[in-house]
Amino acid sequence: MLTTFLTQNFVPLLFAGLLVLLLTGFPVAFALAAAGLGFGWLGIELGLFPTVMFQALPLRIFGIMQNDTLLAIPFFTFMGIILQKSGMAEDLLETVGQIFGPLRGGVAIAVILVGALLAATTGVVAAAVISMGLISLPIMLRYGYSRVLATGTITASGTLAQAIPPSLVLIVLADQLGRSVGDLYAGALVPGLMLVGLYVLFVVIIAIVLPHWAPALPPEARIYRESNGASGHKSLLVLVALCAAVGYVWSRVHDPLMTRWLDRSLPSAGDEVVIMSMTIASLTALTLSIINRVTRMGLLSRLAEQVTFVLMPPLILIFLVLGTIFLGVATPTEGGAMGAMGALVLAMIKRRLSWGLMQEAMDNTAKLAAFVLFILIGSTVFSFTFNAADGHIWVEHLFDKIPGGQLGFLLVVNLLVFILGMFIDFFEIAFIVVPLLVPVAEKMGIDLVWFGVILAMNLQTSFLTPPFGFALFYLRSVAPRKDYKDRVTGATIPAVTTTQIYKGSIAFIIIQICMVGVIMAFPGLVIDNLEKVETISDTELMQKLENMGGDLAPPPLDPVDPAAALEGAQSTTEPTTTPADDPLKALQESMANDKKN
């Protein structure tokens, strides 16, 4: 009777065993492996699996270690840590804050934009939230920002690292979905930028409706002024307009140039054009600023030069990494290696590269890479037993009764991922939950790149949700717990409470949920950015082969199925040519012999 119960409920018991191990505090990677091995042995004893089942497991684990795609994780992690530890975040926040500081809500807008830049460099939520919490929160509190708006802006901007390329989440999801990292990057680019725009729009509305929540910086806080007292914004606007014009011109000539240089038959994707146009515009701004400083022409203001020298190098690095990936010149792994090298060069130029920084970056990178690989190995052991027990069929049966078809499935999955994201890290979700959902999504005809972008945006939402949102914990760890005296104004600043941090996240959670709904309602935001693959029919293929043959074209054939003709050619026992000859000629002569026979 016990054997029958175990046999009939093997898959649910497998999940229950994993849950018990996780609740005990056992490390996730080893809990996955222990559940997989333990229940695999139980299945062998029950006669569900052959005794030699686990002989194939070492080969699967070895295959994981040979996966080149996962090399992008340590490369992008190393790139982000070098840029972060070399003071890039501080420089960006100070400079962008000076640009928007004279406006109401300007510091909050600067935090959002810098958060997007940090997301495109660090790719890790913890690094982005902690950096901005340490740097920008004291400034916002000093000048009277609402604590709810300040904390919400910092936590929400930090979670942009989940959805904006080159995100570690997208790399892991691409591996689990069986799709290319480049496709996930291309699909997530437009939704990620749209989310940044919604954040900025929300801050602008707050600054208009509740101006006392988001005051402008006072004149004494604006440090980049001209000798005549001017702010330098006019010079910056002229530079931006000039570079935007250069970028626009490049966008018009990009496709014909790249088509000729790369010998492509398909038009350039929209995201590729945008990235490369922004790269050219950024290079133009940097070149003009260097010329202005070297020649001392004085055409640019202090603010314009500061913005260019601080903002352009990391932007150019990001655009070059993404641009080479979108162009197909480099794989994501090669792009990550180039980004890591570029980060080292930038740190050397700023004279902030030291052995201590290198050691810290390599140490953190090794820890994160080992963490990811061990979880992946553990999840492979677990899924090995799960698939052997036909667990994918059990999961399909869980969803086949859901009304609404694709929409119903997506709603339930998003709710599940949203709840799980409040308790466990995205790596665990990607390695445990996503492989269970992929077969069901494929069977329903759901585009997996679209599905992956939805999951990435959902995971970003769950990082903000009280009471277990990880981004909230990260900010809580660096926000002042007690009243303190401000070092600039000398005023006493009250402590930031946990309730204020939780309240600040609510509005941004609503924005992110709306963005998930927009992506679900308009799949074109994702899949229209993917490279279209040209397909031709069998008849068109044969016509192309005949046209390529020139004078060697075979005599007219009877109207037969091309596939049958090919099969007949392949079945010829005495081929007239050797494999070393022209394959087209061999095919034509074989078809001609078949016609004669």
Side-chain angles (χ1 to χ4, degrees), residues 183 186 250-277 322-330 529-534:
D183 283 348
W250 177 265
S251 69
R252 309 304 297 175
V253 302
H254 174 88
D255 186 58
L257 287 177
M258 290 301 160
T259 300
R260 183 165 62 252
W261 290 348
L262 301 179
D263 195 22
R264 295 190 303 196
S265 59
L266 297 177
S268 302
D271 51 8
E272 173 192 314
V273 176
V274 171
I275 289 294
M276 292 306 299
S277 299
L322 294 180
T324 52
I325 293 174
F326 291 160
L327 280 171
V329 176
N529 299 317
L530 305 182
E531 182 179 356
K532 304 298 188 296
V533 180
E534 182 182 9

Side-chain angles (χ1 to χ4, degrees), residues 218-280:
E220 60 270 15
R222 304 168 196 172
I223 58 178
Y224 298 109
R225 287 187 173 274
E226 300 302 294
S227 56
N228 59 1
S231 65
H233 280 79
K234 290 183 180 179
S235 174
L236 178 61
L237 288 175
V238 172
L239 180 63
V240 170
L242 177 61
C243 295
V246 172
Y248 175 77
V249 171
W250 177 265
S251 69
R252 309 304 297 175
V253 302
H254 174 88
D255 186 58
L257 287 177
M258 290 301 160
T259 300
R260 183 165 62 252
W261 290 348
L262 301 179
D263 195 22
R264 295 190 303 196
S265 59
L266 297 177
S268 302
D271 51 8
E272 173 192 314
V273 176
V274 171
I275 289 294
M276 292 306 299
S277 299
M278 294 178 74
T279 304
I280 297 298

Side-chain angles (χ1 to χ4, degrees), residues 532-554:
K532 304 298 188 296
V533 180
E534 182 182 9
T535 58
I536 60 175
S537 63
D538 291 340
T539 303
E540 292 173 331
L541 175 61
M542 293 302 300
Q543 289 176 352
K544 286 181 178 290
L545 287 174
E546 292 173 3
N547 293 334
M548 290 170 59
D551 296 336
L552 295 177

Side-chain angles (χ1 to χ4, degrees), residues 42-176:
L42 179 61
I44 292 174
E45 293 298 318
L46 293 174
L48 295 176
F49 311 137
T51 56
V52 297
M53 182 185 72
F54 283 112
Q55 290 184 3
L57 185 58
L59 293 177
R60 292 192 61 175
I61 295 177
F62 187 70
I64 292 172
M65 307 306 292
Q66 290 181 313
N67 189 349
D68 292 338
T69 302
L70 297 178
L71 281 174
I73 293 177
F75 282 137
F76 281 119
T77 303
F78 184 80
M79 166 186 165
I81 293 174
I82 289 292
L83 291 177
Q84 177 199 355
K85 298 295 184 181
S86 62
M88 181 195 70
E90 292 88 339
D91 295 341
L92 287 174
L93 279 169
E94 178 188 276
T95 304
V96 179
Q98 291 296 314
I99 298 174
F100 296 99
L103 304 174
R104 292 190 181 275
V107 178
I109 294 175
V111 168
I112 293 172
L113 297 178
V114 172
L117 289 174
L118 292 178
T121 54
T122 62
V124 180
V125 173
V129 173
I130 292 174
S131 296
M132 291 190 295
L134 289 171
I135 302 164
S136 63
L137 184 59
I139 298 175
M140 300 173 83
L141 297 179
R142 177 184 305 152
Y143 296 113
Y145 265 73
S146 164
R147 290 157 184 275
V148 173
L149 178 62
T151 56
T153 302
I154 292 173
T155 52
S157 302
T159 59
L160 289 171
Q162 297 280 49
I164 294 182
S167 165
L168 299 184
V169 177
L170 296 176
I171 296 175
V172 174
L173 284 176
D175 178 70
Q176 296 301 302

Side-chain angles (χ1 to χ4, degrees), residues 309-320:
F309 288 126
V310 170
L311 201 58
M312 291 304 108
L315 273 179
I316 292 171
L317 177 62
I318 295 168
F319 293 154
L320 285 177

Side-chain angles (χ1 to χ4, degrees), residues 162-163 169-170 173 177 183-184 187-189 191-192 195 406-407 409-418 429 434 437 441 446-462 512-527:
Q162 297 280 49
V169 177
L170 296 176
L173 284 176
L177 293 170
D183 283 348
L184 264 293
L189 184 62
L195 187 60
Q406 288 187 2
L407 180 60
F409 170 76
L410 290 174
L411 290 175
V412 172
V413 166
N414 276 284
L415 180 61
L416 173 64
V417 172
F418 180 81
I429 294 176
V434 173
L437 302 175
I446 296 174
D447 185 275
L448 292 185
V449 175
W450 176 48
F451 186 57
V453 173
I454 292 174
L455 292 180
M457 196 67 68
N458 193 336
L459 287 170
Q460 179 180 350
T461 304
S462 63
Q512 291 181 351
I513 291 175
C514 291
M515 193 65 220
V516 172
V518 169
I519 298 174
M520 291 173 59
F522 301 99
L525 292 174
V526 175
I527 60 179

